[in-house]
Amino acid sequence: MRGETYFILFLGIAVASHSALASKKLLKEQSPCKSFVLYYHDTLFNGTDAVNATSAMVANKTSLGDFNFGMLVVFDDPMTTDNHLLSPPVARAQGFYFYDKKNEYNAWFAYTLVFNSSEHKGTLNIMGADLMPEKTRDLSVVGGTGDFFMARGIVTLQTDTLQGDFYFRLKMDIKLYECY
Amino acid sequence: MRGETYFILFLGIAVASHSALASKKLLKEQSPCKSFVLYYHDTLFNGTDAVNATSAMVANKTSLGDFNFGMLVVFDDPMTTDNHLLSPPVARAQGFYFYDKKNEYNAWFAYTLVFNSSEHKGTLNIMGADLMPEKTRDLSVVGGTGDFFMARGIVTLQTDTLQGDFYFRLKMDIKLYECY
Amino acid sequence: MRGETYFILFLGIAVASHSALASKKLLKEQSPCKSFVLYYHDTLFNGTDAVNATSAMVANKTSLGDFNFGMLVVFDDPMTTDNHLLSPPVARAQGFYFYDKKNEYNAWFAYTLVFNSSEHKGTLNIMGADLMPEKTRDLSVVGGTGDFFMARGIVTLQTDTLQGDFYFRLKMDIKLYECY
């Protein structure tokens, strides 16, 4: 009888654990189960330099505003562990971005980080707004495969350099809060 | 000894809590941890009204069918708490939609709700099919950042008005079932 | 007093259950809560066959490489339970793909599986890289609605056939690891 009471009590607690998870700030205060920093290098095709280019424009900017509204770029960009373009890539970022604001630069990204090294095999799927005027901006890791099976988390972007119209580099701080 | 027995028993229950979550209908019957209604206003650029427009077509419709198949629109649309276009926006919806059916109007959306008010700071990332002939249709909230850290849920769309080719308004009922 | 001790102890265990979930390989070794195989049929519009076509190109390939880099296709494709194009569809796949590699064929997908049958009503939202040279490749199920409320999982793609430029078929092995 007393055992049953305990059982019910503790079952209640265990089932309630999701509500606990669902309550604010539990994970916010906890550190990621996995995190790493990578650099994203976007070298836009200028029409002639196919050897070095890793992205290309597939839809032109519209005439709405002066900040490339609607310009859509597809990329297969190298990811490196430091900020050197020519460092050996540890992953590829495959996806697209477009500009979407008429009165300032602002973008939106969806892409997959594809890992195929001795250290990691698998992918992370990411989407979100790149609020370019902000010093840092957060996107969502919405899923993963392989070594990153079912992962979720946050990617914090920071512009590392911007060189003319054809090269920019982002620091990506990848933090996973759900790992398996 | 008896303490150990309890420990093992209750550890078993606690670990089982995910299976409980994974079992059907647990959350279905439960109310969202957070919910709110916002109105989405899409004013498509007609080529001249750049002052009022908040979206623009970046790829033309194809000749497959008579329902704009393939027409792709990028947007930075205001979100308001009531259905008045000129109410102060409480968020921006940044993303894109395209039409994707040859024999009726049907669309697909991916976008970020960007909150930057005294009440909320952060983003919600959303994607899914907009089955326009249905009175209501559900999209997925696949992630969130800031105040909406790691959120998941459902957005229910309802067409509130459709005015010619250049303005439509959707009621978005945002229900989060995973909050932190 | 002793009861309180137990309570605290077990509350600790219950709260820790998320960390247990977060630890590696828990779900990896477990079977999906739901799984099924469907075939995806993509019949690209060739400019004249609107009756049979279910997808259309909305942005042309760029001149970066020789593998359709940047070619963007919107689709509303039938999903069948066997590999016959003319079998009754049990769902539609609505979304888009584009090619994104300059030195081989490689693609990126985002789409919704729309179910509207006596067996299933609801949607699954999917995104990820389609690494075409690999025999199988994994995408993420990032959310679901209706019968698939809040689902997450993995879709494993396998090319079933490739017929010229206008028809290909993928086997999609859909495995859900989070069900409600």
Side-chain angles (χ1 to χ4, degrees):
Chain A
M1 177 59 200
R2 200 175 139 195
E4 276 174 31
T5 309
Y6 273 117
F7 186 88
I8 289 164
L9 172 62
F10 301 130
L11 183 63
I13 294 167
V15 167
S17 70
H18 187 73
S19 311
L21 295 178
S23 73
K24 275 191 188 184
K25 313 232 167 134
L26 181 62
L27 288 198
K28 223 174 242 183
E29 290 155 13
Q30 111 181 8
S31 52
C33 43
K34 183 159 212 156
S35 75
F36 45 98
V37 173
L38 294 175
Y39 290 83
Y40 163 99
H41 306 265
D42 189 66
T43 305
L44 186 62
F45 187 42
N46 64 9
T48 59
D49 188 11
V51 173
N52 294 309
T54 55
S55 71
M57 189 174 68
V58 302
N60 289 307
K61 65 181 174 181
T62 67
S63 57
L64 181 58
D66 296 319
F67 299 89
N68 294 347
F69 195 108
M71 176 180 158
L72 172 62
V73 171
V74 165
F75 56 81
D76 169 35
D77 283 344
M79 303 292 295
T80 60
T81 54
D82 61 25
N83 65 359
H84 299 301
L85 172 58
L86 299 180
S87 292
V90 296
R92 307 294 298 189
Q94 300 181 345
F96 67 104
Y97 63 81
F98 53 80
Y99 295 92
D100 61 2
K101 220 165 169 68
K102 65 181 175 183
N103 53 1
E104 60 186 352
Y105 285 108
N106 199 73
W108 195 91
F109 276 77
Y111 59 100
T112 301
L113 293 182
V114 179
F115 296 83
N116 188 14
S117 67
S118 53
E119 205 181 344
H120 291 303
K121 290 198 195 311
T123 69
L124 286 171
N125 291 309
I126 295 162
M127 67 182 265
D130 178 10
L131 308 166
M132 294 167 64
E134 309 281 326
K135 184 166 162 43
T136 63
R137 44 277 185 189
D138 289 341
L139 281 67
S140 294
V141 180
V142 298
T145 69
D147 289 352
F148 304 102
F149 178 76
M150 295 288 286
R152 293 184 74 230
I154 303 284
V155 175
T156 301
L157 303 187
Q158 197 166 347
T159 303
D160 197 50
T161 194
L162 198 61
Q163 294 172 16
D165 289 341
F166 296 101
Y167 178 71
F168 70 91
R169 185 170 62 234
L170 301 175
K171 187 182 170 201
M172 293 193 178
D173 192 355
I174 299 151
K175 291 155 288 184
L176 305 181
Y177 294 92
E178 293 185 13
C179 305
Y180 286 97
Chain B
M1 175 60 199
R2 198 175 140 193
E4 277 174 31
T5 309
Y6 272 117
F7 185 88
I8 289 163
L9 173 64
F10 300 129
L11 184 63
I13 295 167
V15 167
S17 70
H18 186 74
S19 310
L21 295 177
S23 72
K24 274 192 186 180
K25 311 230 167 134
L26 181 63
L27 289 199
K28 222 174 242 182
E29 289 155 13
Q30 110 181 9
S31 51
C33 43
K34 182 158 213 155
S35 74
F36 45 97
V37 173
L38 294 175
Y39 290 83
Y40 163 99
H41 306 265
D42 189 65
T43 306
L44 186 62
F45 187 42
N46 63 9
T48 58
D49 188 11
V51 173
N52 294 312
T54 55
S55 70
M57 189 173 69
V58 302
N60 290 307
K61 64 180 175 184
T62 67
S63 57
L64 182 57
D66 296 319
F67 298 90
N68 294 347
F69 194 107
M71 176 180 157
L72 172 62
V73 172
V74 165
F75 57 80
D76 169 35
D77 284 343
M79 303 292 296
T80 60
T81 55
D82 61 24
N83 65 359
H84 299 302
L85 172 59
L86 301 180
S87 292
V90 295
R92 307 295 297 189
Q94 300 181 345
F96 67 104
Y97 63 81
F98 54 80
Y99 295 93
D100 61 2
K101 221 167 168 64
K102 65 182 176 182
N103 53 1
E104 60 186 351
Y105 284 109
N106 199 73
W108 196 90
F109 276 77
Y111 59 101
T112 301
L113 294 182
V114 179
F115 296 83
N116 188 14
S117 67
S118 54
E119 205 181 343
H120 292 302
K121 290 198 197 311
T123 69
L124 287 171
N125 291 309
I126 295 161
M127 66 181 267
D130 178 10
L131 308 167
M132 295 167 63
E134 309 280 326
K135 184 166 162 41
T136 64
R137 47 275 183 188
D138 289 342
L139 280 68
S140 294
V141 179
V142 297
T145 69
D147 290 353
F148 304 104
F149 178 76
M150 295 287 287
R152 294 184 73 231
I154 303 283
V155 176
T156 302
L157 303 188
Q158 197 167 346
T159 303
D160 198 51
T161 193
L162 197 62
Q163 294 173 16
D165 290 340
F166 296 101
Y167 178 71
F168 70 91
R169 186 168 62 234
L170 301 175
K171 185 181 171 201
M172 292 191 179
D173 192 354
I174 299 150
K175 291 155 288 185
L176 304 181
Y177 294 93
E178 293 185 14
C179 305
Y180 286 98
Chain C
M1 177 59 201
R2 199 175 138 195
E4 276 174 31
T5 310
Y6 272 117
F7 185 88
I8 289 163
L9 172 63
F10 300 130
L11 184 62
I13 295 166
V15 167
S17 69
H18 187 74
S19 309
L21 296 177
S23 72
K24 275 191 186 181
K25 313 232 165 134
L26 182 63
L27 288 198
K28 219 174 244 183
E29 290 156 13
Q30 107 181 10
S31 51
C33 43
K34 184 161 211 153
S35 74
F36 45 97
V37 173
L38 294 175
Y39 289 83
Y40 163 98
H41 305 265
D42 189 66
T43 305
L44 186 62
F45 187 42
N46 63 9
T48 58
D49 189 11
V51 173
N52 294 311
T54 54
S55 70
M57 189 173 68
V58 302
N60 290 308
K61 63 180 175 183
T62 67
S63 57
L64 181 58
D66 296 318
F67 298 89
N68 294 346
F69 195 107
M71 175 179 160
L72 173 61
V73 171
V74 165
F75 58 80
D76 169 35
D77 284 344
M79 302 292 295
T80 60
T81 55
D82 60 26
N83 65 358
H84 299 302
L85 172 58
L86 300 179
S87 292
V90 296
R92 307 295 296 190
Q94 301 181 344
F96 67 104
Y97 63 81
F98 53 81
Y99 295 92
D100 61 3
K101 219 165 170 66
K102 65 182 175 182
N103 53 1
E104 61 186 351
Y105 284 108
N106 198 74
W108 196 90
F109 276 78
Y111 59 100
T112 302
L113 293 182
V114 180
F115 295 83
N116 189 13
S117 66
S118 54
E119 204 181 345
H120 291 302
K121 289 196 196 313
T123 69
L124 285 171
N125 291 310
I126 295 161
M127 67 181 266
D130 178 10
L131 308 167
M132 294 167 64
E134 309 280 326
K135 185 168 163 39
T136 63
R137 44 275 184 190
D138 289 342
L139 281 67
S140 294
V141 180
V142 297
T145 69
D147 289 352
F148 304 102
F149 178 76
M150 295 287 286
R152 294 185 74 230
I154 304 283
V155 175
T156 301
L157 303 188
Q158 197 167 348
T159 303
D160 198 50
T161 194
L162 198 62
Q163 294 172 16
D165 289 341
F166 296 103
Y167 178 72
F168 69 93
R169 186 169 62 235
L170 301 175
K171 185 181 171 201
M172 293 191 178
D173 191 356
I174 299 150
K175 292 155 288 186
L176 304 181
Y177 295 91
E178 292 185 14
C179 307
Y180 285 98

